[in-house]
Amino acid sequence: GAVVSQHPSWVICKSGTSVKIECRSLDFQATTMFWYRQFPKQSLMLMATSNEGSKATYEQGVEKDKFLINHASLTLSTLTVTSAHPEDSSFYICSAREGKAGYNEQFFGPGTRLTVL
Amino acid sequence: AQKVTQAQTEISVVEKEDVTLDCVYETRDTTYYLFWYKQPPSGELVFLIRRNSFDEQNEISGRYSWNFQKSTSSFNFTITASQVVDSAVYFCALSGVNQGGKLIFGQGTELSVKP
């Protein structure tokens, strides 16, 4: 099956610093990648959709300037949390899909746990 | 608007009991996909099943079975003879074919199977 990796798996940083999370599709070309955020004991909430080579589409209420998404290649998307604060502490999960068709299956990464002190 | 409701926040059963996790969805799309995922304590989502809106056949996979009923907009998941390893959070999700592949997740049901 298709494999999606995330790096790092966990990160602890000081308030005010920026953190970059990588999402890679290891054995397929991911035309579309999705970024989700999950707070403890809560569901996954879609943050943004990124298509290779174009700007990400952010969900309502997600700050574009705070959560920078870059999908520069067909196998890599990055999420940068800029000037992180304790309220940004969360579990960030990416998923990747081959093609843009809505019926194409998404494959999830293992997630990145961010703790901001 | 699309919405997925999992009314059961937590369920606790004793090993070997059968348990059903409920999922009710709302969508205006005529073509859509329904999913169930398992999220163990490690956090990684485990894909369990995908069902398209045109296929109402029930599915059985080992101890797992799914009941899809369009008439009631429900896609329930049953675990037969539950085991401790089934303890996890289970998410039901919906993706409308016209929604660009976005997955809308339910709130999740935390299942605890006690020995």
Side-chain angles (χ1 to χ4, degrees):
Chain A
V3 179
V4 175
S5 69
Q6 279 185 245
H7 178 80
S9 54
W10 59 270
V11 56
I12 301 173
C13 69
K14 292 183 179 179
S15 186
T17 60
S18 294
V19 175
K20 181 185 283 188
I21 302 170
E22 293 185 349
C23 177
R24 292 182 185 273
S25 57
L26 299 185
D27 50 4
F28 68 100
Q29 294 187 325
T31 308
T32 306
M33 287 184 169
F34 302 88
W35 286 95
Y36 297 84
R37 180 169 54 183
Q38 184 181 30
F39 291 110
K41 298 286 189 179
Q42 293 189 25
S43 186
L44 283 78
M45 297 300 294
L46 180 65
M47 299 175 67
T49 302
S50 76
N51 293 303
E52 186 265 338
S54 60
K55 290 184 178 180
T57 302
Y58 291 80
E59 295 299 302
Q60 195 171 10
V62 178
E63 299 175 58
K64 301 178 183 182
D65 295 333
K66 182 167 187 61
F67 299 100
L68 301 178
I69 292 173
N70 186 291
H71 191 166
S73 78
L74 284 171
T75 59
L76 174 65
S77 176
T78 60
L79 166 67
T80 301
V81 183
T82 62
S83 187
H85 290 287
E87 57 266 29
D88 299 323
S89 298
S90 187
F91 191 52
Y92 292 87
I93 306 173
C94 73
S95 70
R97 184 182 70 193
E98 190 172 24
K100 296 184 179 181
Y103 51 78
N104 289 354
E105 187 174 345
Q106 289 183 39
F107 300 95
F108 284 86
T112 296
R113 200 165 298 279
L114 170 63
T115 302
V116 185
L117 302 176
Chain B
Q2 298 193 103
K3 185 179 179 181
V4 176
T5 301
Q6 293 179 256
Q8 305 147 308
T9 306
E10 297 179 8
I11 299 177
S12 182
V13 299
V14 177
E15 207 170 19
K16 297 185 183 178
E17 284 185 18
D18 299 347
V19 58
T20 295
L21 282 60
D22 298 332
C23 173
V24 174
Y25 63 92
E26 296 175 29
T27 180
R28 293 180 182 171
D29 287 334
T30 54
T31 302
Y32 52 89
Y33 299 87
L34 295 164
F35 303 79
W36 275 96
Y37 290 90
K38 174 182 179 180
Q39 188 177 42
S42 65
E44 185 164 0
L45 283 176
V46 177
F47 168 81
L48 296 178
I49 189 171
R50 178 174 85 161
R51 214 12 140 225
N52 75 54
S53 51
F54 297 111
D55 185 359
E56 281 194 76
Q57 280 192 335
N58 290 335
E59 175 100 6
I60 298 176
S61 176
R63 296 184 296 108
Y64 296 169
S65 62
W66 291 269
N67 185 320
F68 175 29
Q69 298 212 351
K70 287 180 76 171
S71 60
T72 55
S73 297
S74 65
F75 187 43
N76 296 338
F77 172 34
T78 298
I79 301 175
T80 303
S82 60
Q83 299 176 2
V84 173
V85 293
D86 295 327
S87 297
V89 180
Y90 290 86
F91 290 99
C92 179
L94 165 71
S95 177
V97 73
N98 294 319
Q99 307 302 323
K102 295 180 185 180
L103 276 173
I104 305 300
F105 285 86
Q107 301 91 321
T109 297
E110 184 172 5
L111 173 65
S112 176
V113 182
K114 302 186 185 307

